Structures are given as structure tokens and as C-alpha cells.
Amino acid sequence: MEKYLRKNFDVEPKRPSEEALRRWRSAVWLVKNPRRRFRMVADLAKRAEDARKLENFQEKIRVALYVQKAAFHFISGVSRGEQYRISEEIKQAGYGIDPDELATIVRNHDFKRLEQHGGVEGCAKKLSVSIQNGVSSNEIHHRQKIFGVNQFVEKPARPFWMFVWDALQDMTLIILMVCAVISVGVGIATEGWPGGMYDGLGIILCILLVVLVTAISDYKQSLQFKDLDREKKNVIVQVTRNGSRQKVSIHDLVVGDIVHLSIGDLVPADGMFLSGYSLSVDESSLSGESEPVDRGRENPFLLSGTKVQDGSGKMLVTSVGMMTEWGRLMDTLNEGGEDETPLQVKLNGVATIIGKIGLTFAILTFLVLTFRLIAKKAILGQIRKWSTNDALDLLNFFAIAVTILVVAVPEGLPLAVTLSLAFAMKKLMNDRALVRHLSACETMGSANCICTDKTGTLTTNHMIVTRLWICGECKIIGSNSSQNALMSTASEEVLHTLLQSIFQNTSGEVVKGKDGKPSVLGSPTETALLEFGMLFYGNSAPIFRESKILKVEPFNSNKKKMSVTVSLPGGGVRAFCKGASEIVLGMCDKLIDKDGQSVLLTVDQRKSLTDVINGFACEALRTLCFAFKDIEGNSSTDDIPENSYTLIAIVGIKDPVRPGVREAVQTCLDAGIIVRMVTGDNIHTAKAIARECGILTDDGIAIEGPEFREKNLQEIKRIVPKLQVMARSLPLDKHKLVTFLRKELREVVAVTGDGTNDAPALHEADIGLAMGIAGTEVAKENADVVIMDDNFATIVNVAKWGRSVYFNIQKFVQFQLTVNVVALITNFVSACITGSAPLTAVQLLWVNMIMDTLGALALATEPPHDGLMRKPPIGRNVNFITKIMWRNIIGQSVYQLAVLGVLQFQGKKLFNLSGPDSTSTLNTLIFNTFVFCQIRYL
């Protein structure tokens, strides 16, 4: 057993524990009961969901996976000697391997079976796919039919009758239904048919209407959330199809697709590593292990649902949808619903207090009415004579008391919050903002600080190279004259070195479009550089076949550079490096002259180059340096050099400010929201863009990340209130700033992010805002809102909707509390003085239905207006019910109680009402006056 664990689990057991033996016995039991494998996982998930403890849940899933893995290894060990046979269906379809066989190989990390099929290339051949050209578009439907589609089986939507059943579970409604049934029975017995059933039937109809309206509202909301959840899961991936690289939806992936992976990507399906550099994968979502796992030729297996931590690569898709490891788990797990938002929690507390007050009034009303009835019978000497009419009166008293409780309990508060948030989510989706968590809508309304990126958020993210320094001269780059201008400045050898550095040290790719013309896939920066390089090659990109890429260090936010090593045609190895200008310039001790020779970089030349970089940056250009270094021999390629480079060129890239950003920033400032730019760019570039956007003022502070990092707490407290720009920042700098703003200054902070390393800051912030276009999947998963168009104006729109939600709920609470106070006091005072309640159970139920549904719909879904952004932000600990609200509630209540009191006690005299129907006529008048008071209040 120890040998087996060492071989297959890569662990060294110190001593077989009872737990280890129990797991092993469970694995053997699973072999004999294969259908029970995932039922066990489901049982663990159910228990974890009930406990709502994520860490415990992940640990149990990890244990279940290890047990399952052991079982699969045992099964494969038993059946390894059997000859693999392909099914007739797969043969007829033109493939040489079964879907189950592929899934088993990847799931079990079975190298022996993989070797039997000829390795990864052999599997690709059996799947009838070219590693270079990928799948043909004509085969997509056929492959989906044979291997399945890349979609998980979703939990069936709850039917409408389930929402009706949930609405019927309200205890007060159940009590009222019992009262109504008894009322119908007693009424028919005493008053006959059909007169005796009107009161009870009216209550039943009101209850049914309340239940239907509540169920319809909840049902429509669930459908809306389902649509939003489907939108969240629609990830765009890059694949090679028909010989070109293109973007497709994750749901359109098929077995055989060649998928391109880079830092921050979600692995969209199970597959095998084909090629790439330094690919590292985070498998904690499946295994629970926090350490990333390296993937390459030696360990090619990639699992769906894991995340790319570092590096880049290509993978061959082997299983999709429910055939993947993640799909098998999802078959047994169901995601829980949204947690209650902070506002809902706060309002639930308000509802509980009001409900207790209502319960007290209801009990007092019932006791007063009952006492008056007993006192009346005692006075008449009928204390021992009780009739069905007396029983009906007592039942009516009880119904009134229960109805007072129904009206008093403001169950419409959570409904109003949900309606308002759902309405805001839907509208924001139309405005290019995907809200992932309900609470983000309301929290954004309280934000008083936004820490925003520069590139793509404040700027258009459409970059072009406009300036170039090479061989001691600065050039303005234009589409027509660039080639001639550069040829007159630099030799052909220098240009060849520069273009090789551009086209080989890149994460982008030049592909053929559908029209046959070349197009560039990659980040905006890579696109700008490749398009600049293509000016010298017309409509085709250069292919440096004589130079093979040996090693790649992809760009990341910490190093702020990208490096590669390539083999040279005449032998030897050359390293290319590009990145942040001051960082790459600091790695250089030589520069290339007009003849292509490396000459020593003097102090004066270094100062001159720094002035060039700052000059480009002051023109709001993003600056990058290109450098190379020749390495003697091939053994040094294990580590790409970090110094002694030769500078090739400095480029300035223009990224224009988005239209409307300056106005959006000014709107934030008017609303009391401070905007801070946190960027990785040069400080001169950052300051120029910040001034153009209206972020950096004359008394504002701009600082670089390294300087901020070195400051102590007291110095940070001194500068942060005026801090407006942080340049050359690392993700940890952003996290440190956000933590300080939240914990020390008690600000409600919104943060934008697009990279994998931004995840800690997005998680720490009150509201995390991920970029939908430039953002990685890791950033999006840690965000509360995804800005689909990467536009700062959209962030301001989210803040406006957040404020609208808060103020709309305040209006509804003010309205409902006024109605509750008036209804409670009117019935209670009238019951104490006259012995009857003017507002009957049926009438109060009608008011409750209108107030909790149509009233909530009218007030909670009011769209935002510009005036909201001229008010200060709502503080973190501000009372929800303000002094102004209390003033309005008390004032309106006094006014309505005065009107209803006059009608109750002087109504008959004022309107000359007499006769047997005078009381019912007066009560009808009181009810209508009560209703019209609420309409006027609205």
C-alpha cells in the first residue's frame, strides 16, 4: 500500500493511520460500486452547503477526489492488461479514440495509456486534428455530436408552483386562512347561503392575490438572475481554427480544439499541453492545494476549472462539458443562492422590531375587543349565554388582530430591496456593467473613493506607436513615411534586430482574417508594436524561421518586462527584452549605433536617454525600451540574463483619453467621490493623463510605487488624503493603499483591476470592478462588478444606480412605516373606545397587498437622476432612517390620524348618517379616506 501511494500520489507515508486505511477501504468499495462515486461527493457537498462553511466543503471535496483518484488508479491497474478497443460508432465517425478513453487518461494522469496512443501528438492524430491548423469550422457540429458540447447540465429552474408554495408558508397567512375557513362555516350556519360566506371568502381571495403577486415577482426575479448567471459564465477563449487564431465562446469549444492559454485565463476544458513556456496552473479549485503546478511535456494534463497562474501555452482539448473532471463534480453540486445584502440584513432588523410592536398591538386589540364583549354580556346578564353570533364575533376579533399583525410586519421591505436591486442589475447590464453580487449595487452608492487604472479605463486602449528613438535620433511615426525615415537613420542590420525583437519577443500573433488580410491578436500594447513592425512588411508579417525561440518569460505586473531567448542562424543564443523604460534602461550598459555595433553607454548618454523617456511621457505617451544580449554557448539559456543588455530603441505609444472621461471625473468630484489613479506606467505619463482627465490638481500628490512602499504609517497618513496619482505601482502597492483607505480612513473604496495580480486588491475593496475586455478571468472572479466596456463613465453610472437603490428603498420604508403606524393606531384606539375596528381584515389585507407589491414596484424601481450625484456619499455607519425621514413619518401620521379620528368619532354627525347601515357606510368612508391619504402621500 505504501509503495502504491508513493508511486501514484507522490506522498511519503510516515505511518499508516486509521484515516488512511479508511480511505483505502473506501477506494476499494468504490471500485465495486462505481455508480456511488459521485453520490458520495454529492453527500459531502450537501452537508457542506447546509453548514455553509466553504473551507470545510473544499476539504471534503479534496478528500473525495483523492478517494476517487485512488479508485480510478485501482481500476486502471486491474484493466491495464486488457487490450483497448474502439467502439464502432467512433470508427464510423472517423476518429481513433473514444471520449471515455480520453477522459480517463487526463483524469488519472495515466502516462502509460498516453504512450500507448502515441503521446499528445498521437491523440491529436486519432482525433483527426492538425496541431498547426486546428479544427475545421465545418467539423464543429459533427464533433459536438460525437464528443458532446462544452456546457454543464444546469440545475432545472424551479417551477412557478414552487414559488406559490413558498409564499403560502407565511405563518400569518396560514392563520388567516384558518380564520377565513372557520368564518365561512360559522357565517353560513348563522346567516345562510350566500350572505354568510362573503367575509370569509373576501379574506381567502385577498390571501390568494397576495400569494400570486409575491410568487410572480419572485419567479420573474429568479429568471432574471438565471440570465445574468448565464452571462457570467460566457467566457471568450482564443483557439486555432482553419489555420488562424480566433476568439470563440467557451460554449462553442469542441474536442480537438487548440486553445491558447495565458496568465489569468481559466482552463476551459480538460486537455493536454502541446507547447508553451513556463506554464503554471492553480488547481486549488479541484485539489484544494494552494501551490501552483507546472505543466509541460513531462506533465501535460490540464483540468477544466483550473486557472493559469503564470506563463503561456497551447493545449489540445480532450474532454468537454460533463465529460470533464469539473463537469462530473458539477453534476452533483448545486450553487447556493445569493446571500442577503447588507441593506437587506439591516431592513430585516427593522422589520423584526416593527413586527414585535405589531404583535403587541394585535394582542392588545384582541384582548380589548374580547374584554368589551364579555363586559357587555355581563352588564346584560348574559354572561352564561353564548351563541354562534358571539363565536363569530370572537373569530372576527381574532381575524382583525391577525390582520393587524400582517399589516404591521413589513415583509415588503426585503421584497422592495430585491426588486430595486434586480431592476438596477438589469438596467446596468444594458449599460455594459455586469453585477456579479447583489450587494455591490447598494455598496457602490456609498463609495467615496475610486482607485482606477489608467490604461483602457481612462484611455481608449487603442494604442498606436507615434514616436521612436533609435540610433541617437527621435522620429515621428506615420503610416507612409516611417520606413524611409528610419532607413535614413539606421542600417538594415539595426532595423532587422529591432523587428526581430518586436516579432519574436511578443505574446501577440499576426493571423489571417476572413478577408485574407492580416490582423493582430493580443493585448493593445502588443497590437500597437506588431502593427508598427508590419509597416515594413506590407500585408505580411516576417517569419524568422532561422531563429528558434528557446525560453520565454512572459510579462507580469511585478517584473514589468518580457524576455525571450532565441537561437541564432550562425550559432549562439540571443536574449531579447522589452518593458518599462527605466527598468530596461537600467539593465543596459551598451547601445547599438547606426552600423549595428554595440558601444558602451556613457553617463551622459544615459542621462540623455532618460530625458527622451521623460519627454515622451510628458506628451502622455507610454514608453517602452527594446534591448538584446548575445549569450555565449547554449547552456546559459536556463535563466534569461538580467543585465549587460544592449539598448536597441525606445518607443512612445499613444493611448488617447476616452471621450467623456473628464466629465465623468468631474461628476464624481461633485458627488464627493475622490478619484485616484493607480497605474504601472511612468510617472510623467501618469501625471499627464491625470491632468487631462481632471484627476490631478495643483495641490494633489503624485508618487511612485517604490517611494510609497518605503514610507511608514505616519507618512502615509500625511500624504494619502491628497494622494491622486500612484505610478509604477505593483499590485501589492494597490492592495496596501486600499487596505489603508478602508481601515484607517474608514472610506468606502471601489477598485478597478484587470490582471491576475489585482485579485487581492479587488477582494479587499468594498467594491471590486474588473475590466470585461482587458481583464483576466481571475480578476473577474474576484470582482463584484464587471465593466463590460472598460469605460470609466460606466463606473460612474454604477455609482449613480447604487445611490438610486439606496434612496428608493428609503422612500419605500418611509411610506410603509407611515401606513403601518396609521393602521395600527386607528384600529387600536377605535377598538379601545368603541369596541370595534373600522378597518376590517379584508380591507387591511387589500392595503397590505397594494402596499407590499405595487407600492414597492413604484417606489423601488424609480430610475436615477442627475441630482443624486450632487449629494454627498452615504457614510459607512449612517443610520438608515434619517431625522428627515422621522420628521416626515411623524408629520404624515399625525395628519392622517387626525383626519381618520374626526371621521371615526364625528363622521355620522358631519355627514348626517343614520339608520342600520350608517356604521358600515362610515367604515367604508374611513377606509377610502385612508387609502386616498396613502395615494396623496405617494
Side-chain angles (χ1 to χ4, degrees):
M1 175 179 167
E2 291 182 7
K3 186 184 294 184
Y4 186 84
L5 288 172
R6 287 193 192 97
K7 180 180 179 182
N8 294 289
F9 289 102
D10 194 25
V11 295
E12 187 68 29
K14 297 178 181 179
R15 174 186 287 178
S17 63
E18 287 299 321
E19 177 66 14
L21 290 172
R22 185 185 63 78
R23 290 185 188 178
W24 181 255
R25 294 189 195 102
S26 298
V28 176
W29 175 79
L30 285 171
V31 173
K32 298 178 180 179
N33 300 271
R35 293 183 180 178
R36 300 283 303 211
R37 282 193 294 267
F38 290 100
R39 290 184 186 176
M40 186 178 72
V41 182
D43 180 59
L44 292 174
K46 182 65 172 64
R47 276 185 253 157
E49 184 180 355
D50 292 340
R52 302 191 70 82
K53 293 179 180 178
L54 183 59
E55 292 182 2
N56 192 31
F57 167 72
Q58 289 178 334
E59 176 63 21
K60 291 181 178 181
I61 288 294
R62 186 169 67 87
V63 171
L65 283 169
Y66 277 134
V67 172
Q68 179 184 320
K69 188 175 179 181
F72 282 134
H73 274 294
F74 192 88
I75 294 169
S76 59
V78 172
S79 59
R80 193 163 284 166
E82 300 177 4
Q83 186 67 30
Y84 168 68
R85 294 178 183 176
I86 188 171
S87 66
E88 288 298 323
E89 180 186 3
I90 300 300
K91 281 184 180 179
Q92 292 175 4
Y95 304 113
I97 190 168
D98 274 311
D100 289 335
E101 178 71 3
L102 283 169
T104 302
I105 291 173
V106 175
R107 186 190 309 122
N108 297 341
H109 294 192
D110 196 330
F111 290 96
K112 290 190 176 180
R113 281 198 185 185
L114 182 61
E115 290 170 4
Q116 290 173 5
H117 291 286
V120 179
E121 290 77 8
C123 289
K125 186 176 180 181
K126 291 185 177 183
L127 288 171
S128 303
V129 61
S130 165
I131 293 177
Q132 287 74 32
N133 298 324
V135 173
S136 171
S137 298
N138 301 327
E139 304 175 16
I140 302 301
H141 180 70
H142 180 62
R143 288 178 180 270
Q144 287 179 336
K145 185 178 179 182
I146 299 298
F147 296 101
V149 295
N150 196 33
Q151 291 183 352
F152 301 133
V153 175
E154 295 184 357
K155 180 184 178 181
R158 296 181 71 200
F160 176 70
W161 67 266
M162 288 288 292
F163 290 93
V164 174
W165 177 254
D166 288 344
L168 284 169
Q169 302 308 304
D170 189 288
M171 183 55 66
T172 53
L173 291 181
I174 294 173
I175 294 172
L176 276 176
M177 281 188 282
V178 173
C179 291
V181 171
I182 297 174
S183 177
V184 169
V186 175
I188 292 176
T190 56
E191 300 179 28
W193 176 273
M197 62 176 291
Y198 289 149
D199 287 343
L201 188 61
I203 295 174
I204 292 173
L205 288 176
C206 286
I207 291 170
L208 290 178
L209 281 172
V210 170
V211 167
L212 282 175
V213 171
T214 304
I216 290 171
S217 174
D218 290 344
Y219 181 65
K220 290 179 70 175
Q221 176 195 320
S222 71
L223 293 179
Q224 187 178 30
F225 286 155
K226 202 170 185 68
D227 291 340
L228 290 173
D229 188 57
R230 192 176 295 114
E231 184 69 27
K232 285 193 290 187
K233 293 177 180 177
N234 186 21
V235 179
I236 301 300
V237 296
Q238 293 192 14
V239 300
T240 297
R241 284 184 182 174
N242 302 319
S244 65
R245 188 167 165 178
Q246 52 190 272
K247 296 179 180 179
V248 300
S249 167
I250 191 173
H251 302 312
D252 296 331
L253 276 185
V254 294
V255 172
D257 263 327
I258 309 299
V259 177
H260 298 255
L261 300 173
S262 57
I263 296 176
D265 284 350
L266 194 74
V267 178
D270 284 1
M272 302 181 196
F273 177 89
L274 283 172
S275 61
Y277 305 95
S278 309
L279 188 65
S280 178
V281 179
D282 175 13
E283 294 187 347
S284 59
S285 57
L286 281 177
S287 66
E289 299 295 340
S290 58
E291 290 298 319
V293 181
D294 294 332
R295 290 287 180 253
R297 285 287 182 178
E298 299 77 17
N299 192 4
F301 306 109
L302 295 159
L303 299 175
S304 172
T306 57
K307 304 178 187 72
V308 178
Q309 193 82 4
D310 199 3
S312 61
K314 296 180 182 179
M315 86 170 206
L316 172 70
V317 175
T318 57
S319 300
V320 293
M322 301 308 295
M323 291 294 293
T324 64
E325 184 74 359
W326 188 250
R328 288 171 178 264
L329 283 177
M330 287 300 101
D331 191 26
T332 60
L333 305 179
N334 293 316
E335 292 186 6
E338 286 269 7
D339 289 336
E340 288 185 324
T341 71
L343 188 56
Q344 283 176 324
V345 172
K346 189 181 294 185
L347 289 180
N348 282 338
V350 174
T352 301
I353 295 171
I354 297 173
K356 290 177 179 178
I357 296 172
L359 178 61
T360 303
F361 271 90
I363 293 172
L364 286 175
T365 301
F366 178 74
L367 291 177
V368 168
L369 290 173
T370 304
F371 177 77
R372 288 183 65 92
L373 177 64
I374 295 172
K376 181 181 177 182
K377 291 183 74 65
I379 292 170
L380 296 174
Q382 298 175 353
I383 194 67
R384 295 181 179 274
K385 297 178 182 179
W386 292 84
S387 64
T388 53
N389 286 331
D390 294 330
L392 193 60
D393 286 340
L394 286 173
L395 184 65
N396 186 46
F397 297 160
F398 184 71
I400 290 172
V402 173
T403 307
I404 286 176
L405 181 61
V406 172
V407 176
V409 175
E411 65 271 11
L413 290 183
L415 173 64
V417 176
T418 305
L419 276 174
S420 188
L421 292 174
F423 181 72
M425 286 176 72
K426 189 69 174 177
K427 291 296 182 181
L428 284 171
M429 187 66 202
N430 296 335
D431 292 340
R432 310 300 298 152
L434 174 61
V435 180
R436 291 174 54 85
H437 303 120
L438 269 179
S439 59
C441 277
E442 64 188 55
T443 311
M444 194 65 194
S446 303
N448 51 15
C449 173
I450 299 177
C451 297
T452 177
D453 286 332
K454 175 185 75 67
T455 305
T457 308
L458 300 173
T459 61
T460 61
N461 215 17
H462 181 71
M463 302 185 186
I464 52 173
V465 176
T466 59
R467 300 294 297 273
L468 174 72
W469 178 94
I470 190 169
C471 297
E473 296 186 26
C474 288
K475 298 292 180 182
I476 298 175
I477 303 300
S479 57
N480 297 322
S481 59
S482 303
Q483 185 176 4
N484 295 331
L486 287 177
M487 291 295 288
S488 64
T489 302
S491 65
E492 185 176 344
E493 184 179 351
V494 174
L495 285 177
H496 181 272
T497 303
L498 173 61
L499 293 172
Q500 187 179 12
S501 176
I502 290 173
F503 285 99
Q504 291 206 286
N505 186 19
T506 181
S507 60
E509 185 177 352
V510 180
V511 299
K512 284 186 178 180
K514 294 181 179 179
D515 56 358
K517 295 181 179 180
S519 62
V520 179
L521 288 176
S523 68
T525 304
E526 296 288 1
T527 300
L529 294 173
L530 292 174
E531 286 176 347
F532 164 68
M534 288 173 63
L535 292 175
F536 300 90
Y537 289 91
N539 287 331
S540 61
I543 301 174
F544 297 93
R545 289 193 176 91
E546 71 278 5
S547 300
K548 181 183 177 183
I549 296 176
L550 303 175
K551 186 177 178 62
V552 176
E553 282 186 0
F555 178 88
N556 64 51
S557 302
N558 291 318
K559 294 183 177 180
K560 298 189 183 300
K561 64 183 179 67
M562 177 179 180
S563 305
V564 299
T565 53
V566 300
S567 60
L568 298 176
V573 175
R574 175 171 288 179
F576 288 105
C577 179
K578 72 175 180 190
S581 298
E582 58 269 32
I583 292 176
V584 176
L585 179 60
M587 297 166 58
C588 297
D589 58 8
K590 295 180 284 294
L591 59 81
I592 195 168
D593 63 12
K594 292 183 178 181
D595 300 323
Q597 301 298 316
S598 295
V599 296
L600 287 175
L601 184 61
T602 65
V603 175
D604 291 340
Q605 286 175 324
R606 188 180 294 277
K607 184 177 182 301
S608 176
L609 290 172
T610 303
D611 292 339
V612 170
I613 292 169
N614 293 338
F616 285 0
C618 290
E619 296 176 25
L621 300 180
R622 190 177 205 179
T623 63
L624 293 175
C625 280
F626 290 85
F628 77 94
K629 178 181 181 178
D630 288 325
I631 304 171
E632 296 181 0
N634 296 330
S635 59
S636 303
T637 59
D638 291 340
D639 295 312
I640 299 179
E642 295 288 334
N643 50 39
S644 302
Y645 277 84
T646 300
L647 182 68
I648 305 172
I650 304 171
V651 298
I653 302 175
K654 181 70 174 176
D655 186 12
V657 172
R658 285 182 182 272
V661 163
R662 188 176 183 86
E663 292 78 8
V665 170
Q666 187 58 48
T667 300
C668 286
L669 296 177
D670 293 341
I673 302 173
I674 301 171
V675 181
R676 294 181 170 92
M677 179 196 290
V678 184
T679 178
D681 266 350
N682 180 290
I683 190 167
H684 298 288
T685 305
K687 288 166 70 175
I689 294 291
R691 286 196 181 94
E692 191 174 347
C693 295
I695 294 174
L696 184 60
T697 58
D698 293 336
D699 61 342
I701 295 176
I703 194 172
E704 289 188 317
E707 184 182 351
F708 177 77
R709 232 170 290 145
E710 293 173 359
K711 292 190 176 296
N712 58 39
L713 185 61
Q714 294 302 320
E715 291 174 323
I716 292 175
K717 283 183 178 179
R718 181 176 54 82
I719 67 168
V720 163
K722 291 187 176 182
L723 179 64
Q724 294 172 343
V725 176
M726 185 187 292
R728 286 296 181 226
S729 64
L730 297 177
L732 288 178
D733 298 331
K734 183 186 289 188
H735 182 267
K736 181 178 180 180
L737 175 63
V738 171
T739 304
F740 179 83
L741 290 170
R742 290 187 70 242
K743 295 185 178 178
E744 297 294 332
L745 301 185
R746 303 297 295 166
E747 293 187 2
V748 180
V749 184
V751 173
T752 69
D754 53 16
T756 302
N757 292 333
D758 288 328
L762 291 171
H763 184 73
E764 175 66 25
D766 294 283
I767 312 102
L769 304 161
M771 300 297 105
I773 298 172
T776 63
E777 290 306 314
V778 174
K780 292 175 188 177
E781 283 193 4
N782 283 276
D784 302 297
V785 181
V786 178
I787 307 300
M788 306 298 286
D789 57 359
D790 292 13
N791 194 341
F792 184 80
T794 304
I795 298 173
V796 178
N797 202 29
V798 175
K800 185 190 293 184
W801 272 101
R803 293 190 174 195
S804 176
V805 167
Y806 194 89
F807 289 121
N808 285 349
I809 300 305
Q810 279 190 322
K811 286 186 289 186
F812 178 74
V813 167
Q814 180 176 299
F815 165 67
Q816 189 171 52
L817 288 183
T818 304
V819 175
N820 286 1
V821 168
V822 173
L824 285 174
I825 295 178
T826 298
N827 265 14
F828 177 71
V829 172
S830 180
C832 291
I833 296 175
T834 67
S836 64
L839 301 176
T840 66
V842 175
Q843 291 170 342
L844 289 176
L845 278 172
W846 276 99
V847 171
N848 189 65
M849 183 188 70
I850 299 299
M851 181 174 62
D852 283 352
T853 54
L854 299 181
L857 190 65
L859 291 172
T861 59
E862 184 177 340
H865 54 85
D866 293 336
L868 292 174
M869 298 304 284
R870 288 191 286 272
K871 297 181 179 180
I874 302 134
R876 190 183 290 273
N877 297 316
V878 172
N879 290 328
F880 181 76
I881 303 178
T882 63
K883 293 180 179 178
I884 295 175
M885 290 175 65
W886 280 121
R887 181 199 66 190
N888 294 339
I889 292 168
I890 294 170
Q892 273 290 326
S893 298
V894 170
Y895 155 71
Q896 293 183 27
L897 287 170
V899 171
L900 295 177
V902 170
L903 290 176
Q904 173 67 22
F905 300 110
Q906 298 295 324
K908 290 182 180 181
K909 183 178 179 180
L910 287 173
F911 295 102
N912 296 320
L913 297 176
S914 59
D917 296 331
S918 60
T919 302
S920 60
T921 303
L922 180 62
N923 287 344
T924 303
L925 179 61
I926 291 172
F927 173 69
N928 281 280
T929 304
F930 175 67
V931 171
F932 280 108
C933 280
Q934 312 317 320
I935 294 173
R936 181 186 177 280
Y937 188 38
L938 281 171

